[in-house]
Amino acid sequence: MTQAIVEIVTFKLNSNASDQDLLNTHSGIASFLQKQDGFIYRSLSKDESQGQWIDIVYWQDLKSA
């Protein structure tokens, strides 16, 4: 059985930042993560009802995370 580490971060943007501001950083962050040892996958989503973002990153192992 293969194990992976799942990193989950929830956050809300500061009042002076827009959703588009965050999304404009997505490709740069994705490019950085893809170069990291042990990186598997990243998912970014928003819970509109709470105004909260959920950033989930999958890693091969704890050391990589």
Side-chain angles (χ1 to χ4, degrees):
M1 176 183 203
T2 302
Q3 291 185 336
I5 299 298
V6 180
E7 176 183 7
I8 302 172
V9 178
T10 59
F11 60 94
K12 291 185 178 184
L13 297 178
N14 287 332
S15 59
N16 62 342
S18 70
D19 289 354
Q20 191 58 53
D21 290 336
L22 175 66
L23 295 174
N24 288 343
T25 69
H26 183 73
S27 64
I29 293 170
S31 176
F32 170 80
L33 286 173
Q34 290 171 357
K35 296 174 187 171
Q36 305 310 302
D37 290 339
F39 173 76
I40 299 172
Y41 178 76
R42 178 185 186 218
S43 171
L44 179 65
S45 60
K46 184 179 182 188
D47 178 347
E48 292 287 346
S49 67
Q50 299 293 317
Q52 180 170 287
W53 287 87
I54 303 100
D55 193 358
I56 304 173
V57 182
Y58 296 83
W59 299 94
Q60 289 179 353
D61 52 45
L62 186 57
K63 182 179 177 185
S64 298

